[in-house]
C-alpha cells in the first residue's frame, strides 16, 4: 500500500504558540489530503479536505483561521495550529488519496500537547 | 441518524476465534467500501477495500458487502492477540471527491491469549 509520513510524531508546546505538522505522501502523488482530529477512544473527526493548489475546505465548526492548512505540492500538506490552547491538545492524523485510488492512506499521527 | 453505523463494542474473544465485525449504512450511493485497523496511538491502516457487492478474501481476512441490505462485514479467522485493535469501516460515493469517505465510529476488539 501507499506510504504517508507525518512529522513530528509528538510535540509539546506552550499556550499561545503555533505548531506546524507536516504530512507527506512518499510514493504517490496525493491530489487530496485530509486532516483529522481524534480524541482518546473516539472516532476520527474530519477537520478539512485539501486539494493541491487550492484552498482547503473546512468542516462545519472547524476554525479555518486557527487551523491553517496548506497543500502546496502533490506530496506535502501542512497543518498549522495557531495560538494553541490546552483544548487543542489532541491526536492529529492526516491521510492522502489520489485520482488512482478511492481509499485513503493514513499517516501515523501527531500527538499535540499544549501546556 | 448517522450515515454509517458501527457497533463500538468492545468485543472480546479468545485466541483462535472467528470474529465478525459489521457496519450498516443508509446512503445507497456508496459503492466503495473499506476496512481500516487502528492500533492505539497510531494512524489507521488500510486492511481491505471492495467495490460494490461481493466478497474479497486476503489471508485470514474476508470482507463482504451486501448492497441490497446496506450491510458490510469483516471476518477475521483464527484471530490472534495481535489483531487486538479498533476496526473502522469506511465508504465512499464515487461521485464525490476522490478519497473522501464516511467512517464508522470503530469497533474495539480484544483477542485474549
Amino acid at each position: 500500500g501507499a506510504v504517508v509520513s507525518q512529522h513530528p510524531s509528538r510535540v509539546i508546546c506552550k499556550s499561545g504558540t503555533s505548531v506546524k505538522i507536516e504530512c507527506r505522501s512518499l510514493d504517490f502523488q496525493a491530489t487530496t489530503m485530509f486532516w483529522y482530529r481524534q480524541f482518546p477512544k473516539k472516532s476520527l473527526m474530519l477537520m478539512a479536505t485539501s486539494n493541491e493548489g487550492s484552498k482547503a475546505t473546512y468542516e462545519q465548526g472547524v476554525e479555518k483561521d486557527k487551523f491553517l492548512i496548506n497543500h502546496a505540492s502533490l506530496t506535502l500538506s501542512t497543518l498549522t495550529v495557531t495560538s494553541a490552547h490546552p483544548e487543542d491538545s489532541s491526536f492529529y492524523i492526516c491521510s492522502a488519496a489520489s485520482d488512482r485510488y478511492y481509499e485513503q492512506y493514513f499517516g501515523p499521527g501527531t500527538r499535540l500537547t499544549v501546556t | 441518524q448517522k450515515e454509517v453505523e458501527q457497533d463500538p463494542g468492545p468485543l472480546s474473544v479468545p485466541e483462535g476465534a472467528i470474529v465478525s465485525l459489521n457496519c450498516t449504512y443508509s446512503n445507497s450511493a456508496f459503492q466503495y467500501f473499506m476496512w481500516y485497523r487502528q492500533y492505539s496511538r497510531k494512524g489507521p491502516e488500510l486492511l481491505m477495500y471492495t467495490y460494490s457487492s461481493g466478497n474479497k478474501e486476503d489471508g485470514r481476512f474476508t470482507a463482504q458487502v451486501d448492497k441490497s441490505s446496506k450491510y458490510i462485514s469483516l471476518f477475521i479467522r483464527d484471530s490472534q492477540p495481535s489483531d487486538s485493535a479498533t476496526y473502522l469501516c469506511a465508504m465512499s460515493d464515487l461521485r464525490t471527491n476522490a478519497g473522501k469517505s464516511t467512517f464508522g465510529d470503530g469497533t474495539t476488539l480484544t483477542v485474549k491469549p
Side-chain angles (χ1 to χ4, degrees):
Chain A
V3 180
V4 177
S5 70
Q6 208 171 323
H7 178 79
S9 58
R10 182 184 292 263
V11 58
I12 300 172
C13 70
K14 292 187 184 299
S15 187
T17 61
S18 295
V19 173
K20 180 184 283 188
I21 302 170
E22 290 189 350
C23 178
R24 293 181 184 272
S25 58
L26 299 184
D27 52 3
F28 71 104
Q29 294 187 323
T31 50
T32 306
M33 286 188 169
F34 304 90
W35 287 95
Y36 295 85
R37 185 172 180 176
Q38 189 175 38
F39 292 102
K41 299 189 186 298
K42 298 293 184 183
S43 186
L44 300 169
M45 185 188 80
L46 180 65
M47 298 174 66
T49 302
S50 73
N51 293 296
E52 185 263 339
S54 349
K55 289 185 177 180
T57 302
Y58 290 81
E59 296 298 304
Q60 193 171 9
V62 178
E63 298 176 60
K64 61 181 181 181
D65 294 330
K66 180 167 187 60
F67 299 100
L68 301 178
I69 291 171
N70 183 280
H71 191 164
S73 76
L74 287 172
T75 60
L76 174 64
S77 177
T78 60
L79 167 68
T80 301
V81 183
T82 63
S83 187
H85 290 286
E87 56 265 30
D88 298 324
S89 299
S90 191
F91 192 52
Y92 292 87
I93 312 174
C94 72
S95 70
S98 78
D99 292 339
R100 293 175 53 198
Y101 315 115
Y102 285 95
E103 62 274 22
Q104 298 178 32
Y105 291 91
F106 285 86
T110 296
R111 183 156 305 280
L112 170 63
T113 303
V114 184
T115 60
Chain B
Q1 185 185 4
K2 293 180 181 179
E3 273 193 301
V4 178
E5 297 278 359
Q6 184 174 9
D7 186 341
L11 183 61
S12 181
V13 301
E15 184 175 354
I18 297 175
V19 176
S20 172
L21 304 167
N22 311 294
C23 289
T24 59
Y25 62 95
S26 57
N27 186 347
S28 58
F30 288 143
Q31 295 190 58
Y32 211 72
F33 304 91
M34 292 139 285
W35 285 96
Y36 291 86
R37 176 175 62 195
Q38 186 177 22
Y39 292 113
S40 181
R41 300 175 186 262
K42 300 289 184 184
E45 169 195 10
L46 179 66
L47 274 180
M48 299 188 72
Y49 58 90
T50 54
Y51 174 69
S52 197
S53 285
N55 293 359
K56 185 173 183 178
E57 188 174 320
D58 184 1
R60 297 185 295 111
F61 299 90
T62 300
Q64 285 187 354
V65 174
D66 182 349
K67 289 190 69 181
S68 62
S69 302
K70 297 190 179 67
Y71 188 88
I72 70 170
S73 300
L74 177 71
F75 297 96
I76 307 174
R77 291 184 298 281
D78 188 24
S79 57
Q80 303 295 310
S82 58
D83 296 327
S84 299
T86 295
Y87 290 80
L88 299 154
C89 63
M91 315 177 183
S92 75
D93 168 1
L94 298 182
R95 293 170 294 178
T96 61
N97 286 342
K100 186 167 186 177
S101 302
T102 302
F103 285 83
D105 287 343
T107 300
T108 300
L109 170 68
T110 300
V111 180
K112 296 185 175 180

